[in-house]
Structures are given as C-alpha cells and as structure tokens.
Amino acid sequence: MEEAFAKIQIEEEEQGGLCYADITDELSEIDTRLCLVARFLTDSHIDFQAMQHKMASLWRPGRGLYVKPLDNNRFLFQFYHELDIRRVVEGSPWTFGRFHLVMARLKEGDNPRTLVINEIDLWVQLHGMSAGFMSQRVTTDIGNYIGSYVEGDPNNFVGVWKEFLCIRVTLSLDIPIK
C-alpha cells in the first residue's frame, strides 16, 4: 500500500487554490441588512411552498420577497426595501399553521445557518392596574421584569381610563415565562 502512495505525485498546478483577498463586496449578492433568518417553533415538517405563499400574502412586501430554505425548519427571508422588513419585524409575532415564527435580523458577517434564534417579541396586556400605577415608568419596569421592554402602545395613555395597557416585550425561549 505504501508503494502505491509513494508513486502518486501532485503536480505544482494541482496544489494551487483560489484567492479573493483583493475583492471587496463584489462577491456578496445578498444585502444582509435586508435579511431575516427565521424558524418555526415546531419539530414538524413545514411545507415550504405553502409557507412561502402564505407569508408573502400576509406581509405583502412592496418590492418583493425572496425566501430560501436553509435547513429543516430554518429559512432566509430577503426583502428589497427597509420599510418592508421593518413592517414585518414590528408586526410580529407571525404564525403559520399554528406555529410561531421566531426571527432575527441578519447582521454583516453572520452565518444564517448557525445564527442562534431564541427570542420572540410579543404584545402583553396589563390588566387590573390602579390609576396610580398607569405610567410609562411602571409599564417599562413590568416589561423588563417579564423579559426585555421594547415599546408601549402609543394609545396607552390617551383618553380618560383604560381597561388594560399594552406593551411589547422580548422573551427568551430558553427561560420559562414568568
């Protein structure tokens, strides 16, 4: 066996490789600033075609949408305008077939196949609050206690009396809900 390997010789031209040290952004066809990486909270198989059509019809991006399956239950959503991606992120949570879509914006240098997606933004209603506790400070503190406060409903403090207040919080899927 060693004699067979000893007879094999690699020519100098076979040892070469490719070098892209002097090329800048010409290689990237995808603008990562306009991409979301997402997965559904399920172990079930997701019908890619049905999901792609449903999400496009729900989101209705003005400039279009490209969806690429990455792995089982992991998808890359590429938008073509900042307003479209912002509307989708701010309008979450989204579902398909009763499964929540958990997503994260892709940042420059992130690998969409290995990006950790373990947070979800949800709207929470705060009921039974007495008048003295209906303030921005209290809603922010409650939001940070539940998870991480994102924003409050702009109509929370408009009008005389509200039955409940709404706040948006980010929850980690690794920690049980309080």
Side-chain angles (χ1 to χ4, degrees):
M1 181 80 117
E2 290 181 22
E3 291 176 17
F5 285 124
K7 293 179 184 178
I8 297 175
Q9 293 182 355
I10 298 176
E11 299 292 327
E12 185 175 314
E13 62 187 41
E14 292 175 345
Q15 292 180 359
L18 297 175
C19 179
Y20 290 106
D22 56 344
I23 295 178
T24 56
D25 293 334
E26 296 176 86
L27 294 175
S28 178
E29 297 176 15
I30 298 175
D31 186 358
T32 57
R33 296 172 298 166
L34 299 176
C35 290
L36 291 174
V37 179
R39 67 182 178 92
F40 290 92
L41 292 180
T42 182
D43 291 329
S44 302
H45 173 73
I46 298 293
D47 181 351
F48 174 70
Q49 294 293 330
M51 180 276 299
Q52 180 180 10
H53 292 295
K54 184 64 169 180
M55 301 318 284
S57 70
L58 287 172
W59 294 341
R60 287 178 277 185
R63 298 253 176 112
L65 171 71
Y66 173 75
V67 184
K68 176 183 172 88
L70 297 174
D71 293 324
N72 186 25
N73 194 16
R74 183 177 282 256
F75 306 94
L76 177 71
F77 294 91
Q78 181 182 6
F79 296 85
Y80 298 101
H81 197 278
E82 179 64 30
L83 291 175
D84 292 333
I85 193 170
R86 190 178 311 142
R87 188 173 60 246
V88 168
V89 170
E90 291 174 0
S92 69
W94 299 98
T95 61
F96 172 73
R98 298 186 327 254
F99 304 120
H100 283 280
L101 180 67
V102 182
M103 59 185 138
R105 281 192 81 156
L106 195 60
K107 295 180 184 81
E108 190 69 35
D110 283 348
N111 182 344
R113 294 186 190 278
T114 60
L115 184 67
V116 177
I117 308 170
N118 63 350
E119 293 182 336
I120 188 167
D121 286 355
L122 297 172
W123 283 99
V124 177
Q125 293 181 353
L126 305 175
H127 290 265
M129 296 178 66
S130 61
F133 290 100
M134 289 186 156
S135 70
Q136 182 63 45
R137 179 177 172 217
V138 172
T139 58
T140 302
D141 290 345
I142 292 172
N144 285 326
Y145 175 76
I146 295 170
S148 177
Y149 177 84
V150 176
E151 66 180 322
D153 185 341
N155 296 320
N156 275 347
F157 306 109
V158 176
V160 179
W161 182 257
K162 296 286 183 178
E163 292 295 319
F164 59 89
L165 302 177
C166 292
I167 58 172
R168 187 175 178 87
V169 296
T170 300
L171 297 177
S172 173
L173 299 174
D174 298 333
I175 302 170
I177 295 175
K178 295 178 181 176

